[in-house]
Amino acid sequence: MKAVEARDVVLNFGETPALRGASVAVAPGEIVAIMGPSGSGKSTLLHCLAGILVPDAGEIHFDGHRIDTLSEGQRSALRRDQFGFVFQFGQLVPELTAEENVALPLLLGGVKRAAALREARPWFARLGLDGLEQRRSGELSGGQAQRVALARGLVARPGALFADEPTGALDSLTGEQVMELLVSSARDQGTTVVLVTHDARVAAYADRQVIVRDGRVNALVHS
Ligand code: ADP
Ligand code: ADP
C-alpha cells in the first residue's frame, strides 16, 4: 500500500504545454481513474506519476519519497522494483509464451526462471486463463491477452499499478470483465492503482475519478 502524488506538475513538449500545474494525490491502496478529453494531458500525467517522464516543474512523490529528482537509473530501478504497468494493447512479447510473459517482471528483477514461472502460474486460474499458459500472444484473444498483461502487471506485487486505457482495445463486455479482475486483484494485494480511461463505465470501477482539462486536474467525482 503505497501513496502516489503529483504536486503542481508542469510539463511541456517543446512549445506544447501538456501539463500546466496538475496535482493529484492517490492514497495507499486507492484506485483512481484519470478521465478527460483527448489531448488534455492524461497520459502525460500518468507517465509523470510512474517516473517515466520528468516534469519541468512541480514534484512527484511515491510512498513518501520524492522521485522526480532521482537519476534516470534510480527511476528505472524504482519502476522495476515498485511499479507494474498495463497498456492499451497488452504489449506482450510475441516470442514468449503467456506464462513467460507473466513471469517477465520477476525474471527482470533477478528471480530464477523456475521460481518465476512458479509464481506466474496461479495467475492463470485466478484470471480465468487456465490452459493458456503455453500460448503465444498471437494465439490469444484480445481479452485473454489483456488478462495476461494484467497478470504481468501485478505478479511482482508492485506498490503501484499504472494502466493506460487498459480496456481501450476491447469490446465493452470484455473490457468490463478485465476491469473487474483488475480491481479485485489490486484490492487483494493492496496495490494502489492509477488508470487512464476515456470510458465512464470503466472509470466507474475506480474508488474515485479525477478529470484532467487543459493540463490541470480540475474536478473530483466520487463513485
Ligand atoms: P491525453 O492522454 O489526455 O490524450 P496526452 O497527455 O497524450 O493527452 O497529451 C497532452 C498534450 O501533449 C497534447 O497536446 C499532445 O498532443 C501533446 N503530446 C503528448 N505527447 C507528446 C510528445 N511525445 N511529443 C509532443 N507532444 C506530445
Ligand atoms: P539501490 O538501493 O540498489 O540503488 P533501489 O532499487 O533500492 O536501488 O532504489 C533505487 C532508487 O529508488 C534509490 O535512489 C532509492 O532511494 C529509490 N527508492 C527506493 N524505494 C523507494 C520508494 N519506496 N519510494 C521512493 N524512492 C524509492
Side-chain angles (χ1 to χ4, degrees), residues 21-165:
S23 300
V24 62
V26 182
E30 193 180 20
I31 299 175
V32 167
I34 301 176
M35 299 195 70
S38 180
S40 58
K42 303 183 293 296
S43 289
T44 305
L45 179 57
L46 189 81
H47 290 151
C48 287
L49 290 168
I52 296 167
L53 286 172
V54 176
D56 297 317
E59 300 181 3
I60 305 294
H61 295 251
F62 172 69
D63 193 27
H65 301 263
R66 192 164 171 191
I67 66 165
D68 57 287
T69 47
L70 297 175
S71 70
E72 183 76 44
Q74 288 171 326
R75 277 185 290 110
S76 158
L78 177 68
R79 291 196 300 270
R80 186 193 63 213
D81 297 341
Q82 294 282 345
F83 296 165
F85 295 91
V86 180
F87 305 100
Q88 179 169 4
F89 301 104
Q91 297 187 357
L92 302 179
V93 181
E95 293 79 11
L96 300 181
T97 64
E99 69 177 5
E100 287 168 340
N101 267 285
V102 174
L104 199 54
L106 300 168
L107 294 167
L108 294 174
V111 177
K112 295 269 188 298
R113 180 177 168 86
L117 290 174
R118 204 159 47 238
E119 281 194 59
R121 269 179 208 128
W123 283 96
F124 285 79
R126 202 174 295 164
L127 299 187
L129 295 166
D130 267 325
L132 302 179
E133 292 83 349
Q134 305 306 322
R135 298 270 181 100
R136 295 184 199 261
S137 55
E139 303 164 334
L140 297 170
S141 72
Q144 289 167 346
Q146 208 59 349
R147 281 179 280 157
V148 171
L150 173 59
R152 183 181 58 184
L154 288 171
V155 72
R157 304 190 161 271
L161 180 74
F162 297 95
D164 200 346
E165 298 280 9

Side-chain angles (χ1 to χ4, degrees), residues 135-209:
R135 298 270 181 100
R136 295 184 199 261
S137 55
E139 303 164 334
L140 297 170
S141 72
Q144 289 167 346
Q146 208 59 349
R147 281 179 280 157
V148 171
L150 173 59
R152 183 181 58 184
L154 288 171
V155 72
R157 304 190 161 271
L161 180 74
F162 297 95
D164 200 346
E165 298 280 9
T167 65
L170 306 176
D171 65 64
S172 57
L173 177 63
T174 311
E176 293 197 23
Q177 289 166 346
V178 168
M179 276 310 295
E180 273 173 26
L181 291 167
L182 188 158
V183 165
S184 60
S185 307
R187 285 206 203 292
D188 283 352
Q189 293 194 171
T191 306
T192 306
V193 177
V194 187
L195 70 102
V196 164
T197 180
H198 63 272
D199 184 337
R201 278 188 298 184
V202 168
Y205 285 91
D207 298 320
R208 188 157 61 92
Q209 303 165 16

